[in-house]
Amino acid sequence: MSELNRPSQKILTPAPLVDESFMEAHAATVRLVDIYRRNTEFIRTHFKECLENGFPADTRFRAWYPEIRIRVDTHQEVDSRLSYGHVAEPGVYATSITRPELYFDYLVEQISLLIKNHGVPVEVGESITPIPLHFCLSENGEHGTVQVDSSEHTLRDHFDVPDLEHMDDAIVNGNWLPGPGEARPLAPFTAPRVDYSLHRLQHYTATRPEYFQHFVLFTNYQFYVDEFCRWARECLADEHSEYTALVEPGNHITHKGGHTTGHYALRVPQMPSYHLLRKNHTGITLINIGVGPSNAKTITDHVAVLRPSAWLMLGHCAGLRTSQRLGDYVLAHGYVRQDKVLDDDLPLWVPIPPLAEIQVPLEQAVAQIAGLEGWELKRIMRTGTVASIDNRNWELRDHHEPVLRLSQSRAIALDMESATIAANGFRFRVPYGTLLCVSDKPLHGELKLPGMANAFYSKQVSQHLQIGVRALELVREMPNERLHSRKLRSFLETAFQ
């Protein structure tokens, strides 16, 4: 619980619910929706009454997240090709659930696989984790600024507030330890952890979580944003296109046919996002993450709770080989992690493997867009190790030590974000990949002058973005069970992907 209850307080809760068993995933998910709606509405209603009539000193209001559980009593053989959708050994498994309407299709898929692979029902009821008030309020701020009417009482005296105990990454980091009699985790994130990230996404990107698509591009240049929006509007003007709308910061929506709704953001957010919508969230999201590994970790920490199908980094890099030319592509198949931001969550001794499910589509996309094949493709693209560093001005240091390390690692490119995005993809079990474009060669005296930079960007950005988009379209054609590689799964994994 987030706060100790005062002895004199009474706790007002919704009427208790009886757990229900389901052998059909859709019905189980509908029940999760019903419980979540009832309990969040309970909190919102009483909060509104408190704002209007004052906060009663002797009353606390509480409701709980819904929960889904499964009990498996025997060891069962499942299709060894599957990376998710089953538990590893007998036991009780459970997870709290938030925003089940947002995750409806995802929940139906995960629950269906559980029932199919184990042949036992799932149980749906209430968890023991209270829903924080903050995560119940609407995103449009309709409740206004909260002012509690007595200096002796704070908001947390009457409602549950976010509790960091329920928001860590122990499950995905592999260091979760059960309490006495506690069920094992069924999903990689608890409901409060998901809620926290959904609110952070709204803050950082200025778009609502429901607009994010399953296929994500990260970049750190406005040039790519401009090109993406130009291309997206071309798609929306094409009556045969499967894309249906473009959402921009502020939740400004350009619909197919050209009419618009909503408003642009009053201020540019820290990491603006753009969403080209397609049915079932199978479109493409582009996020301008800015510069540096801290931003890269921050945004991927939060996008991960949406369980995207894949994410790719499209950025620029310093080419480290004399044979590379400005505008050449680098397809990362390994990373030297000098970004430092993930060292506590994912030790440096953990290898970040290349995923064929992503590498092959990326190479195919370069070949298709550039019109080159086989041996000729090597003229413009090199596959190798990318080093990511946390010091943008690394060139100003003594070069002996960093150059020696880059040489020993066989690195062919240097940037600031790629290793972070790949490592967090590995940590969160999200398929990842990197395709960079050589924009300078500082070790060889080739730095961009202002005129050169403008010419370079105008020439390369369009092609580079087209390659990233095409790669995601190729990835999208794969069945989910093939895309989510077993390389991303450890010994005792959660059943939910």
Side-chain angles (χ1 to χ4, degrees):
M1 300 300 176
S2 59
E3 292 292 324
L4 293 176
N5 302 320
R6 296 186 177 194
S8 60
Q9 273 191 323
K10 62 181 179 183
I11 302 178
L12 192 61
T13 68
L17 294 175
V18 176
D19 294 350
E20 295 187 41
S21 295
F22 295 90
M23 284 296 290
E24 201 278 314
H26 188 275
T29 306
V30 169
R31 182 59 175 160
L32 290 168
V33 170
D34 291 341
I35 296 173
Y36 180 78
R37 281 180 180 170
R38 184 195 80 142
N39 289 4
T40 53
E41 183 59 30
F42 173 89
I43 295 173
R44 282 193 297 270
T45 297
H46 286 286
F47 180 58
K48 183 178 180 181
E49 291 176 355
C50 288
L51 291 179
E52 294 173 350
N53 305 318
F55 289 75
D58 63 342
T59 305
R60 184 177 190 85
F61 305 95
R62 174 171 291 160
W64 294 271
Y65 285 108
E67 180 177 85
I68 184 166
R69 294 180 292 275
I70 187 171
R71 178 186 297 275
V72 177
D73 295 323
T74 61
H75 288 278
Q76 293 171 275
E77 289 191 12
V78 297
D79 190 336
S80 62
R81 297 169 297 179
L82 296 176
S83 63
Y84 64 95
H86 55 87
V87 300
E89 57 188 32
V92 178
Y93 299 79
T95 186
S96 52
I97 298 293
T98 189
R99 302 285 297 274
E101 289 178 283
L102 175 63
Y103 288 91
F104 197 94
D105 292 340
Y106 167 81
L107 290 169
V108 169
E109 180 198 12
Q110 306 303 312
I111 296 170
S112 294
L113 288 171
L114 272 180
I115 295 171
K116 174 184 175 182
N117 289 326
H118 293 289
V120 296
V122 297
E123 292 183 357
V124 174
E126 291 180 297
S127 71
I128 61 171
T129 304
I131 307 175
L133 167 67
H134 303 63
F135 297 155
C136 295
L137 303 182
S138 65
E139 297 165 346
N140 60 16
E142 66 182 39
H143 292 94
T145 302
V146 177
Q147 297 287 346
V148 180
D149 60 358
S150 171
S151 60
E152 297 180 0
H153 301 285
T154 64
L155 196 61
R156 66 181 62 210
D157 291 319
H158 306 282
F159 293 89
D160 291 289
V161 297
D163 183 353
L164 293 181
E165 181 182 349
H166 299 291
M167 286 185 226
D168 61 36
D169 281 329
I171 299 173
V172 291
N173 286 347
N175 51 23
W176 176 86
L177 295 174
E182 186 176 2
R184 301 181 194 182
L186 189 59
F189 301 105
T190 63
R193 169 67 171 84
V194 172
D195 265 336
Y196 174 75
S197 281
L198 295 180
H199 279 67
R200 291 289 85 194
L201 282 175
Q202 171 78 21
H203 172 74
Y204 285 124
T205 71
T207 52
R208 292 201 292 266
E210 55 262 37
Y211 293 129
F212 279 74
Q213 302 296 286
H214 292 326
F215 301 90
V216 182
L217 292 174
F218 297 112
T219 189
N220 50 16
Y221 283 94
Q222 183 64 33
F223 298 97
Y224 287 83
V225 172
D226 295 341
E227 181 63 21
F228 181 80
C229 290
R230 184 199 64 77
W231 169 74
R233 290 187 172 90
E234 284 186 358
C235 291
L236 298 178
D238 179 0
E239 62 179 13
H240 301 295
S241 172
E242 295 181 331
Y243 296 107
T244 59
L246 172 66
V247 181
E248 300 176 72
N251 302 304
H252 179 273
I253 306 176
T254 302
H255 300 270
K256 198 163 188 175
H259 67 285
T260 62
T261 56
H263 304 279
Y264 287 110
L266 295 177
R267 291 175 295 275
V268 177
Q270 185 173 345
M271 288 180 269
S273 63
Y274 304 79
H275 314 281
L276 185 56
L277 309 188
R278 189 174 180 265
K279 65 178 181 179
N280 301 325
H281 289 84
T282 57
I284 297 174
T285 286
L286 175 76
I287 307 175
N288 184 352
I289 66 175
V291 176
S294 179
N295 276 5
K297 178 183 184 297
T298 296
I299 194 64
T300 49
D301 279 350
H302 300 314
V303 172
V305 305
L306 294 170
R307 309 316 293 146
S309 295
W311 63 40
L312 303 180
M313 177 65 194
L314 296 184
H316 294 165
C317 64
L320 301 179
R321 303 301 178 90
T322 57
S323 59
Q324 290 171 307
R325 299 166 300 177
L326 300 187
D328 281 358
Y329 295 114
V330 172
L331 176 57
H333 78 173
Y335 301 88
V336 176
R337 295 172 51 202
Q338 297 178 278
D339 51 349
K340 301 178 183 177
V341 294
L342 278 168
D343 294 0
D344 292 335
D345 293 306
L346 194 70
L348 286 173
W349 51 261
V350 176
I352 310 300
L355 304 178
E357 295 82 359
I358 303 295
Q359 299 294 98
V360 172
L362 270 171
E363 183 168 341
Q364 290 174 340
V366 176
Q368 291 176 15
I369 300 301
L372 299 173
E373 294 182 357
W375 185 252
E376 290 301 307
L377 190 60
K378 293 181 180 290
R379 293 184 183 275
I380 66 165
M381 187 184 77
R382 184 162 182 163
T383 301
T385 298
V386 170
S388 290
I389 196 168
D390 63 345
N391 178 11
R392 176 59 189 87
N393 297 317
W394 65 276
E395 299 99 328
L396 303 182
R397 295 181 55 200
D398 173 64
H399 285 178
H400 177 74
E401 186 269 336
V403 170
L404 176 62
R405 186 185 298 121
L406 293 171
S407 177
Q408 290 176 328
S409 67
R410 311 300 194 267
I412 62 173
L414 180 71
D415 81 339
M416 297 187 68
E417 299 86 19
S418 292
T420 311
I421 287 172
N424 242 5
F426 181 83
R427 184 165 76 106
F428 291 128
R429 288 72 165 170
V430 176
Y432 53 84
T434 296
L435 184 71
L436 302 176
C437 185
V438 176
S439 61
D440 60 350
K441 297 171 61 180
L443 293 183
H444 310 290
E446 293 190 44
L447 303 178
K448 296 189 298 291
L449 299 173
M452 291 171 55
N454 290 336
F456 169 79
Y457 291 137
S458 62
K459 176 178 180 293
Q460 287 300 126
V461 164
S462 177
Q463 185 183 76
H464 194 187
L465 180 69
Q466 289 177 41
I467 291 170
V469 168
R470 181 59 186 145
L472 287 181
E473 290 175 341
L474 292 171
V475 170
R476 188 168 63 200
E477 295 172 3
M478 295 184 197
N480 230 22
E481 61 271 17
R482 288 185 55 193
L483 174 58
H484 288 273
S485 172
R486 290 176 295 178
K487 293 179 186 177
L488 299 179
R489 312 289 282 184
S490 63
F491 300 115
L492 296 175
E493 275 290 343
T494 62
F496 283 16
Q497 172 266 319

